[in-house]
Amino acid sequence: MTTRMLLRSAAVALAALTLGAPSLEGQVSTRIKDLTVLEGDVPVRLVGYGLVVGLDGTGDRAVGTSQGGGATVRSVANLLRNLGVDVPENVIRTRNAAAVLVTAEVSSYLRRGNRFEVSVASLGDATSLRGGQLWVTPLVGELQGQPIATAQGSIMISQGNLDGARTVETSGRLPQGGVAVADLASLGLANVGRLMLNRPDLTTAQRIAETISGSLGEGAARVEDPGAVAVDIPADQDPASVLAGLGELEVIPDAIAQVIIDARDGTVAAGGPLLVGAGVVSHGYLTLTVGAEGTEPPAQGAVRMEPGVRVQDVAEALHAVGATPESIAAVFESLHQVGALRARVVVR
């Protein structure tokens, strides 16, 4: 074997060893408070059934009859009855009203009077909620439970995408439309003994524990599992001050070896500087060759690249030869399956 061939083999081997290998160089440090939540701060999901009124003839088409009306008609009749106005269901028309499902996700530390965003979505056959007002709606955390909050206000609907896609007007949001009417039960800060990772990862958890121990003292934090870091707060210190200080400490989270592909438009996003090793993928008219030698002229749809090429470069080359989004997704999945791409491939 010649010296040139030895050098080439060594280079290929080195590229294979370093594919997807994590490196701290070039990675951005992140505050611990942006990577974790306090123990007990589990998001609470709220739900309610409400009415949107004030629509311009785009509401539910339900009409009251002598036998009664649909859900929207009955809801309007009950609403008016609670206000002291008794209107027979068979005379109610609801083209200016729509039944909606109201949802929200809030912190377990929510307190009475706090405001939060809510979302609404049509339950009936309304064609648009634009311009509507959500009537005051109780929100509960569990079925048959007591209301935790209420929602009310003007509905905001997006103006659509820049590419001219049709706007969905049967759902919308109220940025500050929710108001808590009760305190949510939660752990006090004195009882907080763990930080829960937003994205469980053993390496990141270990780095968080080491950083906290470097601040509070050796052994002050330990990894319980990939999703939790136990913290011993000194008894003579204020828990709020300690936790606030720890939240500002910075660590470098472990890079995730992942490639996300949008099968509709061919967008490829790589989590980190991922490299592709030697391999050949043939998909329809398209053939991707990474690392194999050859002197024949490239055919239409043929892509040839050196081993150790970046994922981004492979994506650009596939786009350049007119590969469809489905083909791009199939190529990257195949590279992963044969071991040329050591990263998780997610196709959306």
Side-chain angles (χ1 to χ4, degrees):
M1 182 177 294
T2 65
T3 302
R4 181 178 179 181
M5 295 178 65
L6 285 171
L7 291 175
R8 180 178 177 81
S9 299
V12 172
L14 180 60
L17 288 172
T18 58
L19 293 181
S23 172
L24 298 183
E25 183 179 356
Q27 296 186 32
V28 179
S29 60
T30 306
R31 296 183 303 177
I32 290 179
K33 68 184 299 182
D34 296 323
L35 298 172
T36 64
V37 295
L38 300 178
E39 180 182 11
D41 190 12
V42 180
V44 177
R45 292 179 173 175
L46 306 179
V47 65
Y49 169 83
L51 279 174
V52 172
V53 298
L55 301 175
D56 188 14
T58 60
D60 294 337
R61 288 190 289 269
V63 177
T65 65
S66 58
Q67 287 78 35
T72 304
V73 170
R74 291 194 297 272
S75 297
V76 172
N78 290 336
L79 184 154
L80 295 175
R81 193 173 297 116
N82 290 335
L83 294 177
V85 181
D86 193 0
V87 180
E89 292 184 10
N90 63 323
V91 300
I92 294 178
R93 303 294 185 269
T94 60
R95 290 300 291 162
N96 289 348
V100 294
L101 184 69
V102 185
T103 58
E105 185 174 281
V106 299
S107 168
S108 61
Y109 289 101
L110 189 74
R111 291 293 180 260
R112 183 175 183 178
N114 291 162
R115 289 184 172 272
F116 54 90
E117 179 173 311
V118 299
S119 299
V120 297
S122 173
L123 285 171
D125 57 1
T127 58
S128 175
L129 300 179
R130 187 177 295 279
Q133 296 272 337
L134 177 66
W135 185 264
V136 59
T137 303
L139 301 178
V140 299
E142 55 185 15
L143 296 180
Q144 307 301 325
Q146 292 296 317
I148 295 174
T150 61
Q152 179 178 329
S154 301
I155 297 175
M156 293 183 60
I157 297 178
S158 65
Q159 296 298 322
N161 299 324
L162 296 178
D163 59 4
R166 184 177 66 88
T167 302
V168 176
E169 298 192 351
T170 51
S171 62
R173 63 189 185 91
L174 288 73
Q176 295 292 314
V179 178
V181 297
D183 293 341
L184 295 184
S186 61
L187 292 173
L189 292 181
N191 297 318
V192 173
R194 294 189 297 177
L195 297 179
M196 320 302 292
L197 275 70
N198 296 327
R199 177 176 290 176
D201 180 84
L202 187 59
T203 302
T204 301
Q206 183 61 39
R207 292 175 184 172
I208 291 175
E210 291 173 353
T211 301
I212 293 176
S213 294
S215 175
L216 294 182
E218 187 66 28
R222 64 186 183 281
V223 176
E224 290 190 344
D225 55 58
V229 175
V231 180
D232 295 328
I233 300 178
D236 59 344
Q237 296 188 29
D238 176 45
S241 299
V242 173
L243 291 172
L246 295 180
E248 295 298 325
L249 299 177
E250 295 187 351
V251 299
I252 298 179
D254 190 37
I256 299 176
Q258 181 170 264
V259 177
I260 300 176
I261 305 169
D262 192 322
R264 294 168 297 180
D265 59 16
T267 300
V268 178
L274 300 178
L275 305 179
V276 179
V280 178
V281 177
S282 181
H283 179 79
Y285 73 92
L286 179 67
T287 299
L288 171 67
T289 304
V290 181
E293 296 182 356
T295 58
E296 69 279 1
Q300 182 179 3
V303 178
R304 187 181 300 280
M305 311 190 80
E306 291 295 322
V309 65
R310 301 182 309 165
V311 165
Q312 299 92 318
D313 295 331
V314 174
E316 291 177 4
L318 295 176
H319 281 296
V321 298
T324 64
E326 294 82 1
S327 297
I328 295 174
V331 167
F332 277 106
E333 284 186 320
S334 298
L335 289 172
H336 169 69
Q337 290 172 2
V338 300
L341 175 60
R342 299 180 183 178
R344 180 187 178 197
V345 178
V346 179
V347 180
R348 294 178 175 175

